[in-house]
Amino acid sequence: MKINRRRWSALVWVSSAMSIGLFATACGGTSTSGSGDAPESATFVYAIPQDFQGVDRASYSSEAAKTIGDVMHSRLLELATDGTTPTSCMSDVPTRIEAGSPLVDRWHVTDDGMGIDITLKPGVRSAQGNVLTAADVVWTMDRAKAIDTGAQTLFFNVGGFDRVNTVTVKSPTELTFNLTKPSAISPYVLAGNSALILDSTAAKANATADDPWATKYLTDHTANFGPWDLTGFDSQQLTFSRNPNYAGERGNIDSVVLKTVSDSSTRIQLIQSAQVSETNGLDYSQLAQLKSSSGVGLVQCQSPARDWLGLNGSDPVLGKPEVRAAISLALDRTAISQAVYRDFARPSESGLSQAFATQAGSNYETDKVKARELLEKAGVPEGFGFRLSVSAAQPGPYSANLAVLIQRQLADVGLKVEIVNVPSAVQFKSDGLAHKMQAWLQAETPAFANAGYSAWLTAGCAGLQNYMGYCNPELDAVASELMVNSQSADAAQKQQRLSQIIDRDQPAIYLIDRSTISVRSRCAESVPTAAFGTDYTKAVVAC
């Protein structure tokens, strides 16, 4: 399909540099008769601060990619969401997965736990008119195994899917995903954005000998079975129109336009004037200002997300357990919550997020006297200095303010912190994986509400965010057991044991337990949301 511009009756997600004037007519629409105040078709404007590199998650992993995936919504399984009020959110931990989805009639884990049986809905069609079959699922997985490193990590390293024999096809509408071991996480992988199912017929028709997986075509085309078809693309605007063949439930959104608005003050003006229906990328001081705005609603979803201070385990001083515990005890997390997070986040209390309801640990209350005693025990009674690397990308736009407050608090026990700015997010991650940084600030945002995965992600020997070089076989073993079964009779005891190990060793010094916050205007009447995703297809806007 030729990509072109469509009319402004749309769900618009704004992401970097556009003027307010562009949205002057964004909240218009044609009124319905007998359906309340909501117009028949309307605009939902979502503003974030990034440009668009494309819509193919195999090629791009930008901050915009998650919301693009939520919009595309061509997933086999679907998380339960709540949109009963403008500020409601499904915050259950673990998040519930629906019994079916727009693509799937039903699914279940096999009796032996070694597979996931799926029955596709008959007659599901892409915007190109092709019918969804098990062959599309197989091709999507083959493509992921060939070129999508992010999906490979989630499917095979974390989710336990069989890399060699991933899918067994039983009929055009029946298939089984095969696992190497039982996994509590595997269904959530299928409900995530790494599992967007592609229209293999359309993709293969646009593949070439040099590009067998149609990466060029799928950069600016949505060949999938979701509710939208990409009909306009450039680096600062994506335009999605309705897939005319989509039979799933819809709200009153006619099309989806994703734009870029880089300036945060401009995004705030747009949300306050209801020219934008949703925005993100704001720091906590800006959220505090919006909290009292009558035209803005803040949607907070409980999640296992946290921010933490990392310390290099190979450092001759910072690697000492006494020093790490001393630094944890020297920090005033309540003051951090109030000053940096403006009480939108809770002070960390233990080695796991409070979402998992474990008991409070022993190294999270401020105790500077004990901190000095531990520093003396570690052989550094006069303190020492170290470098704290900071990036605006991790944990967020408030990183610099958080670093300054940590610097001030640690100075009270004789620690001299030199703040080093790392302007490149790529360099920050590269230095972290290479264990080059002495200390750093990091966000832990687990893709799954599973205590074992959360602990492994940061502190597991092969954890994806383990920049410390920490490795504890007992932690890995307990985390693995919870990733296999998080609902067993002894799951609470295992979670408590994980929390105790982290509290004792302090591989990551947890600072704050964060919720997921969405900022929406008065026009957002219903936007079904969970901590791990939003269903924009079912959204209803009132203006």
Side-chain angles (χ1 to χ4, degrees):
M1 180 180 293
K2 182 179 180 181
I3 293 178
N4 53 56
R5 303 298 179 201
R6 295 296 180 98
R7 61 193 176 86
W8 274 71
S9 178
L11 166 62
V12 183
W13 168 34
V14 186
S15 138
S16 295
M18 285 286 169
S19 68
I20 296 177
L22 285 174
F23 301 96
T25 61
C27 280
T30 303
S31 297
T32 60
S33 57
S35 59
D37 295 330
E40 188 175 90
S41 60
T43 301
F44 190 111
V45 183
Y46 192 138
I48 71 167
Q50 289 92 27
D51 287 346
F52 306 107
Q53 300 174 340
V55 297
D56 181 4
R57 289 181 61 86
S59 302
Y60 306 117
S61 58
S62 68
E63 291 298 315
K66 181 183 182 299
T67 303
I68 294 173
D70 279 351
V71 171
M72 291 166 66
H73 214 78
S74 181
R75 300 179 286 241
L76 292 174
L77 304 187
E78 186 158 320
L79 297 176
T81 56
D82 186 2
T84 53
T85 72
T87 57
S88 60
C89 172
M90 186 69 71
S91 291
D92 296 348
V93 175
T95 311
R96 179 169 56 85
I97 299 179
E98 299 286 14
S101 76
L103 274 62
V104 168
D105 257 342
R106 58 189 179 275
W107 70 276
H108 71 276
V109 176
T110 59
D111 291 341
D112 61 2
M114 296 295 289
I116 302 174
D117 286 338
I118 288 178
T119 300
L120 301 174
K121 282 186 176 177
V124 172
R125 292 181 180 270
S126 68
Q128 291 77 15
N130 299 312
V131 176
L132 170 67
T133 71
D136 296 297
V137 178
V138 172
W139 190 86
T140 299
M141 291 308 305
D142 287 344
R143 184 178 192 267
K145 286 188 278 189
I147 64 172
D148 190 343
T149 56
Q152 291 168 25
T153 297
L154 290 176
F155 271 94
F156 307 118
N157 296 357
V158 176
F161 290 79
D162 189 325
R163 184 184 291 266
V164 177
N165 182 28
T166 309
V167 180
T168 299
V169 175
K170 300 177 179 178
S171 78
T173 59
E174 295 176 305
L175 57 101
T176 299
F177 277 92
N178 300 308
L179 306 175
T180 57
K181 63 180 180 181
S183 171
I185 289 176
S186 56
Y188 292 92
V189 175
L190 295 179
N193 288 332
S194 291
L196 294 171
I197 303 303
L198 298 170
D199 177 351
S200 61
T201 301
K204 287 190 286 188
N206 290 276
T208 66
D210 293 333
D211 184 18
W213 299 108
T215 57
K216 293 180 181 178
Y217 175 74
L218 291 171
T219 293
D220 54 12
H221 290 80
T222 46
N224 63 44
F225 301 91
W228 308 101
D229 182 31
L230 184 66
T231 52
F233 172 84
D234 62 42
S235 64
Q236 294 191 341
Q237 177 170 311
L238 306 182
T239 302
F240 293 84
S241 299
R242 288 191 178 201
N243 170 3
N245 302 314
Y246 182 78
E249 182 182 348
R250 283 191 183 272
N252 67 341
I253 304 304
D254 186 63
S255 61
V256 183
V257 179
L258 287 66
K259 286 185 172 287
T260 56
V261 178
S262 59
D263 181 67
S264 61
S265 61
T266 300
R267 297 199 303 278
I268 289 173
Q269 293 174 35
L270 291 169
I271 198 79
Q272 288 178 320
S273 62
Q275 296 176 76
V276 163
S277 295
E278 185 169 356
T279 190
N280 71 3
L282 303 178
D283 65 30
Y284 287 96
S285 62
Q286 293 167 325
L287 292 176
Q289 294 172 9
L290 289 173
K291 191 173 185 179
S292 60
S293 176
S294 59
V296 178
L298 302 182
V299 183
Q300 291 189 253
C301 293
Q302 181 187 21
S303 83
R306 294 184 288 177
D307 289 349
W308 49 279
L309 170 64
L311 303 173
N312 196 316
S314 63
D315 186 276
V317 178
L318 294 174
K320 296 180 178 180
E322 298 89 351
V323 170
R324 304 169 82 86
I327 290 174
S328 185
L329 289 164
L331 295 170
D332 186 339
R333 291 168 172 81
T334 299
I336 290 173
S337 173
Q338 293 170 348
V340 177
Y341 297 83
R342 304 300 179 97
D343 289 326
F344 283 102
R346 295 185 292 179
S348 294
E349 295 181 350
S350 71
L352 288 175
S353 164
Q354 293 167 68
F356 299 114
T358 53
Q359 298 174 14
S362 59
N363 286 316
Y364 295 86
E365 290 289 340
T366 306
D367 189 339
K368 297 192 176 182
V369 172
K370 185 176 179 181
R372 292 188 185 93
E373 292 174 353
L374 287 171
L375 290 174
E376 183 173 1
K377 182 179 179 182
V380 284
E382 303 302 320
F384 60 94
F386 64 90
R387 298 180 305 281
L388 175 59
S389 297
V390 176
S391 167
Q394 282 290 347
Y398 51 91
S399 300
N401 291 338
L402 177 58
V404 169
L405 188 52
I406 289 173
Q407 182 186 52
R408 292 172 181 169
Q409 291 185 356
L410 295 184
D412 291 344
V413 294
L415 304 186
K416 303 173 183 63
V417 177
E418 176 189 356
I419 298 173
V420 179
N421 181 52
V422 182
S424 167
V426 174
Q427 185 65 49
F428 185 88
K429 182 176 182 179
S430 175
D431 287 349
L433 292 172
H435 307 307
K436 290 183 177 180
M437 294 186 288
Q438 196 173 18
W440 61 94
L441 296 173
Q442 183 83 0
E444 179 180 289
T445 310
F448 318 105
N450 179 287
Y453 177 74
S454 182
W456 174 85
L457 177 66
T458 294
C461 296
L464 302 179
Q465 291 185 334
N466 185 346
Y467 296 174
M468 298 85 64
Y470 173 83
C471 185
N472 183 319
E474 183 187 3
L475 182 145
D476 271 19
V478 178
S480 179
E481 291 171 3
L482 285 169
M483 285 192 278
V484 168
N485 186 355
S486 60
Q487 302 296 308
S488 63
D490 60 349
Q493 289 88 343
K494 290 176 180 177
Q495 289 181 178
Q496 185 61 36
R497 181 56 186 151
L498 270 184
S499 182
Q500 291 169 344
I501 293 170
I502 295 170
D503 177 37
R504 180 196 67 208
D505 295 351
Q506 292 291 307
I509 297 179
Y510 288 107
L511 306 172
I512 289 294
D513 290 13
R514 289 185 289 109
S515 56
T516 301
I517 302 175
S518 299
V519 183
R520 297 187 179 133
S521 81
R522 59 181 174 81
C523 292
E525 183 175 288
S526 172
V527 187
T529 301
F532 297 95
T534 298
D535 188 348
Y536 294 104
T537 309
K538 298 178 184 177
V540 175
V541 294
C543 60

Coordinates of all heavy atoms in Angstrom, one line a residue, residues 158-211:
V158 N 15.1 -16.2 28.7 CA 14.3 -15.9 29.8 C 13.0 -16.8 29.8 O 12.7 -17.4 30.8 CB 13.9 -14.4 29.8 CG1 12.9 -14.2 31.0 CG2 15.1 -13.6 30.0
G159 N 12.3 -16.9 28.7 CA 11.0 -17.5 28.6 C 11.1 -19.0 28.6 O 10.1 -19.7 28.8
G160 N 12.3 -19.6 28.2 CA 12.4 -21.1 28.2 C 11.8 -21.7 27.0 O 11.6 -23.0 27.0
F161 N 11.6 -21.0 25.9 CA 11.1 -21.6 24.7 C 12.2 -22.4 24.0 O 13.4 -22.1 24.1 CB 10.6 -20.5 23.7 CG 9.3 -19.9 24.1 CD1 9.3 -18.9 25.1 CD2 8.1 -20.3 23.6 CE1 8.2 -18.3 25.5 CE2 6.9 -19.7 24.0 CZ 7.0 -18.7 25.0
D162 N 11.8 -23.5 23.3 CA 12.8 -24.3 22.6 C 13.3 -23.6 21.4 O 12.5 -23.4 20.4 CB 12.1 -25.6 22.3 CG 13.1 -26.7 21.8 OD1 14.1 -26.3 21.1 OD2 12.9 -27.9 22.0
R163 N 14.6 -23.3 21.3 CA 15.1 -22.6 20.2 C 15.1 -23.4 18.9 O 14.9 -22.8 17.8 CB 16.6 -22.1 20.5 CG 17.2 -21.3 19.4 CD 18.7 -21.0 19.8 NE 18.8 -20.1 20.9 CZ 18.9 -18.8 20.8 NH1 18.9 -18.2 19.6 NH2 19.0 -18.0 21.9
V164 N 15.3 -24.7 19.0 CA 15.3 -25.5 17.8 C 13.9 -25.9 17.3 O 13.5 -25.7 16.1 CB 16.2 -26.8 18.0 CG1 16.1 -27.7 16.8 CG2 17.6 -26.4 18.4
N165 N 13.1 -26.4 18.2 CA 11.8 -26.8 17.9 C 10.8 -25.9 18.6 O 10.1 -26.3 19.5 CB 11.6 -28.3 18.3 CG 10.2 -28.8 17.9 OD1 9.6 -28.4 17.0 ND2 9.7 -29.8 18.7
T166 N 10.7 -24.7 18.1 CA 9.9 -23.7 18.8 C 8.4 -23.9 18.7 O 7.7 -23.8 19.7 CB 10.3 -22.3 18.3 OG1 11.7 -22.1 18.3 CG2 9.6 -21.2 19.1
V167 N 7.9 -24.2 17.5 CA 6.5 -24.3 17.3 C 6.2 -25.6 16.6 O 6.8 -26.0 15.6 CB 6.0 -23.1 16.4 CG1 4.5 -23.3 16.2 CG2 6.3 -21.8 17.0
T168 N 5.2 -26.3 17.1 CA 4.6 -27.5 16.4 C 3.3 -27.2 15.9 O 2.4 -26.7 16.6 CB 4.5 -28.7 17.4 OG1 5.8 -29.0 17.9 CG2 3.9 -29.9 16.7
V169 N 3.1 -27.3 14.6 CA 1.9 -27.0 13.9 C 1.0 -28.2 13.8 O 1.4 -29.2 13.3 CB 2.1 -26.4 12.5 CG1 0.8 -26.2 11.8 CG2 2.9 -25.1 12.6
K170 N -0.2 -28.1 14.3 CA -1.2 -29.2 14.3 C -2.2 -29.0 13.2 O -2.7 -30.0 12.7 CB -1.9 -29.3 15.7 CG -0.9 -29.6 16.8 CD -1.6 -29.6 18.1 CE -0.6 -29.9 19.3 NZ -1.3 -29.9 20.6
S171 N -2.6 -27.8 12.9 CA -3.5 -27.5 11.8 C -3.3 -26.0 11.5 O -2.5 -25.3 12.2 CB -4.9 -27.8 12.2 OG -5.4 -26.7 13.1
P172 N -4.0 -25.5 10.5 CA -3.8 -24.1 10.2 C -4.2 -23.1 11.3 O -3.7 -22.0 11.4 CB -4.7 -23.9 9.0 CG -4.7 -25.2 8.3 CD -4.7 -26.2 9.4
T173 N -5.0 -23.6 12.3 CA -5.4 -22.8 13.4 C -4.9 -23.3 14.7 O -5.3 -22.7 15.8 CB -6.9 -22.6 13.4 OG1 -7.5 -23.8 13.5 CG2 -7.4 -21.8 12.2
E174 N -4.2 -24.4 14.8 CA -3.8 -25.0 16.0 C -2.3 -25.2 16.1 O -1.7 -25.7 15.1 CB -4.5 -26.4 16.3 CG -6.0 -26.2 16.4 CD -6.7 -27.6 16.5 OE1 -6.5 -28.4 15.6 OE2 -7.4 -27.8 17.5
L175 N -1.7 -24.8 17.2 CA -0.2 -24.9 17.3 C 0.2 -25.0 18.7 O -0.6 -24.7 19.6 CB 0.5 -23.7 16.6 CG 0.1 -22.4 17.1 CD1 1.1 -21.8 18.1 CD2 -0.2 -21.4 16.0
T176 N 1.4 -25.5 19.0 CA 1.9 -25.6 20.3 C 3.3 -24.9 20.3 O 4.2 -25.2 19.5 CB 2.1 -27.0 20.8 OG1 0.8 -27.6 20.8 CG2 2.7 -27.1 22.2
F177 N 3.5 -24.0 21.3 CA 4.9 -23.5 21.5 C 5.5 -24.5 22.5 O 5.0 -24.8 23.5 CB 4.8 -22.1 22.2 CG 4.6 -21.0 21.2 CD1 3.4 -20.5 20.9 CD2 5.7 -20.4 20.6 CE1 3.2 -19.5 20.0 CE2 5.6 -19.3 19.7 CZ 4.3 -18.9 19.4
N178 N 6.7 -24.9 22.1 CA 7.4 -25.9 22.9 C 8.4 -25.2 23.9 O 9.1 -24.3 23.5 CB 8.2 -26.9 22.0 CG 7.2 -27.6 21.1 OD1 6.2 -28.2 21.6 ND2 7.5 -27.6 19.8
L179 N 8.5 -25.7 25.1 CA 9.4 -25.2 26.1 C 10.5 -26.2 26.4 O 10.3 -27.4 26.3 CB 8.7 -24.8 27.4 CG 7.5 -23.9 27.2 CD1 6.7 -23.7 28.5 CD2 7.9 -22.5 26.7
T180 N 11.6 -25.7 26.9 CA 12.7 -26.6 27.4 C 12.5 -27.0 28.8 O 13.1 -28.0 29.3 CB 14.1 -26.0 27.2 OG1 14.1 -24.7 27.9 CG2 14.4 -25.7 25.8
K181 N 11.7 -26.2 29.5 CA 11.3 -26.5 30.9 C 10.1 -25.7 31.3 O 9.8 -24.7 30.6 CB 12.5 -26.1 31.9 CG 12.8 -24.7 31.9 CD 13.9 -24.4 32.9 CE 14.2 -22.9 32.9 NZ 15.4 -22.5 33.8
P182 N 9.3 -26.1 32.3 CA 8.1 -25.3 32.6 C 8.5 -23.9 33.0 O 9.6 -23.7 33.6 CB 7.6 -26.1 33.9 CG 8.1 -27.5 33.7 CD 9.4 -27.4 33.1
S183 N 7.7 -23.0 32.7 CA 8.0 -21.6 32.9 C 6.8 -20.8 33.2 O 5.8 -20.8 32.5 CB 8.7 -21.0 31.7 OG 8.9 -19.6 31.8
A184 N 6.8 -20.0 34.3 CA 5.8 -19.1 34.7 C 5.8 -17.8 33.8 O 4.8 -17.1 33.7 CB 5.9 -18.7 36.1
I185 N 6.9 -17.6 33.1 CA 7.1 -16.4 32.3 C 6.7 -16.5 30.9 O 6.3 -15.6 30.3 CB 8.6 -15.9 32.5 CG1 8.9 -15.4 33.9 CG2 8.9 -14.9 31.4 CD1 10.3 -15.0 34.1
S186 N 6.8 -17.8 30.4 CA 6.5 -17.9 28.9 C 5.2 -17.4 28.4 O 5.2 -16.7 27.3 CB 6.7 -19.4 28.6 OG 5.8 -20.2 29.3
P187 N 4.1 -17.5 29.1 CA 2.9 -16.9 28.5 C 3.0 -15.4 28.4 O 2.4 -14.7 27.5 CB 1.8 -17.3 29.5 CG 2.3 -18.5 30.2 CD 3.8 -18.3 30.3
Y188 N 3.7 -14.7 29.4 CA 3.9 -13.3 29.4 C 4.7 -12.8 28.2 O 4.6 -11.7 27.7 CB 4.4 -12.8 30.7 CG 3.4 -13.0 31.8 CD1 3.4 -14.1 32.6 CD2 2.5 -12.0 32.1 CE1 2.5 -14.3 33.6 CE2 1.5 -12.2 33.1 CZ 1.6 -13.4 33.9 OH 0.6 -13.5 34.9
V189 N 5.7 -13.7 27.8 CA 6.5 -13.4 26.6 C 5.5 -13.3 25.4 O 5.7 -12.3 24.6 CB 7.6 -14.4 26.4 CG1 8.3 -14.1 25.1 CG2 8.5 -14.4 27.5
L190 N 4.6 -14.2 25.3 CA 3.6 -14.2 24.1 C 2.7 -13.0 24.2 O 2.0 -12.6 23.2 CB 2.9 -15.5 24.1 CG 3.7 -16.7 23.8 CD1 2.8 -18.0 23.8 CD2 4.4 -16.6 22.5
A191 N 2.6 -12.4 25.4 CA 1.7 -11.2 25.6 C 2.5 -9.9 25.4 O 1.9 -8.8 25.6 CB 1.0 -11.3 26.9
G192 N 3.8 -10.0 25.1 CA 4.6 -8.8 25.0 C 4.9 -8.4 23.6 O 4.5 -9.1 22.6
N193 N 5.5 -7.2 23.5 CA 5.7 -6.6 22.2 C 6.8 -7.3 21.3 O 6.9 -7.0 20.1 CB 6.0 -5.1 22.3 CG 4.8 -4.3 22.7 OD1 3.6 -4.7 22.4 ND2 5.0 -3.2 23.4
S194 N 7.5 -8.2 21.9 CA 8.5 -9.0 21.2 C 7.8 -10.1 20.4 O 8.5 -10.8 19.6 CB 9.6 -9.5 22.1 OG 10.4 -8.5 22.6
A195 N 6.5 -10.3 20.7 CA 5.8 -11.4 20.1 C 4.7 -10.9 19.1 O 3.7 -11.6 18.9 CB 5.2 -12.3 21.1
L196 N 5.0 -9.8 18.5 CA 4.0 -9.3 17.5 C 4.0 -10.2 16.3 O 5.1 -10.4 15.7 CB 4.4 -7.8 17.0 CG 4.3 -6.8 18.1 CD1 4.9 -5.4 17.6 CD2 2.8 -6.5 18.5
I197 N 2.9 -10.8 15.9 CA 2.8 -11.7 14.8 C 2.7 -11.0 13.5 O 1.8 -10.2 13.3 CB 1.7 -12.7 15.0 CG1 1.8 -13.4 16.4 CG2 1.6 -13.7 13.9 CD1 3.1 -14.1 16.6
L198 N 3.6 -11.4 12.5 CA 3.6 -10.7 11.2 C 2.8 -11.5 10.2 O 2.6 -12.7 10.3 CB 5.1 -10.6 10.8 CG 6.0 -9.7 11.7 CD1 7.4 -9.9 11.3 CD2 5.5 -8.3 11.7
D199 N 2.4 -10.7 9.2 CA 1.7 -11.3 8.0 C 2.8 -11.8 7.1 O 3.4 -11.0 6.3 CB 0.8 -10.2 7.3 CG 0.2 -10.7 6.0 OD1 0.5 -11.8 5.6 OD2 -0.6 -9.9 5.5
S200 N 3.1 -13.1 7.1 CA 4.2 -13.6 6.4 C 4.0 -13.5 4.9 O 5.0 -13.4 4.1 CB 4.5 -15.1 6.8 OG 3.4 -15.9 6.5
T201 N 2.8 -13.6 4.4 CA 2.5 -13.5 3.0 C 2.9 -12.2 2.5 O 3.6 -12.0 1.4 CB 1.0 -13.8 2.7 OG1 0.7 -15.1 3.2 CG2 0.7 -13.7 1.2
A202 N 2.5 -11.1 3.2 CA 2.8 -9.7 2.7 C 4.3 -9.5 2.9 O 4.9 -8.9 2.0 CB 2.0 -8.7 3.6
A203 N 4.9 -9.9 4.0 CA 6.3 -9.7 4.2 C 7.2 -10.4 3.1 O 8.1 -9.8 2.6 CB 6.7 -10.2 5.6
K204 N 6.9 -11.7 2.9 CA 7.7 -12.4 1.9 C 7.5 -11.9 0.5 O 8.5 -11.9 -0.3 CB 7.3 -13.9 2.0 CG 7.8 -14.6 3.2 CD 7.7 -16.1 3.2 CE 6.3 -16.5 3.3 NZ 6.2 -18.0 3.4
A205 N 6.4 -11.3 0.2 CA 6.2 -10.7 -1.1 C 7.0 -9.5 -1.3 O 7.3 -9.0 -2.4 CB 4.7 -10.3 -1.3
N206 N 7.5 -8.9 -0.2 CA 8.4 -7.7 -0.3 C 9.8 -8.0 0.2 O 10.6 -7.0 0.4 CB 7.8 -6.6 0.6 CG 6.5 -6.0 0.0 OD1 6.6 -5.2 -0.9 ND2 5.4 -6.5 0.4
A207 N 10.2 -9.2 0.3 CA 11.5 -9.6 0.6 C 12.4 -9.7 -0.7 O 11.8 -9.8 -1.8 CB 11.6 -11.0 1.4
T208 N 13.7 -9.7 -0.5 CA 14.6 -9.8 -1.6 C 15.7 -10.8 -1.3 O 15.8 -11.2 -0.1 CB 15.2 -8.5 -2.0 OG1 16.1 -8.1 -1.0 CG2 14.1 -7.4 -2.3
A209 N 16.5 -11.2 -2.2 CA 17.6 -12.1 -2.0 C 18.6 -11.5 -1.0 O 19.1 -12.2 -0.1 CB 18.3 -12.4 -3.3
D210 N 18.7 -10.2 -1.0 CA 19.6 -9.5 -0.1 C 19.0 -9.2 1.2 O 19.6 -8.9 2.2 CB 20.1 -8.2 -0.7 CG 21.0 -8.4 -1.9 OD1 21.7 -9.5 -2.0 OD2 21.1 -7.5 -2.8
D211 N 17.6 -9.2 1.2 CA 16.9 -8.9 2.4 C 15.8 -9.9 2.6 O 14.6 -9.6 2.5 CB 16.3 -7.5 2.3 CG 15.6 -7.0 3.5 OD1 15.8 -7.6 4.6 OD2 14.7 -6.0 3.4

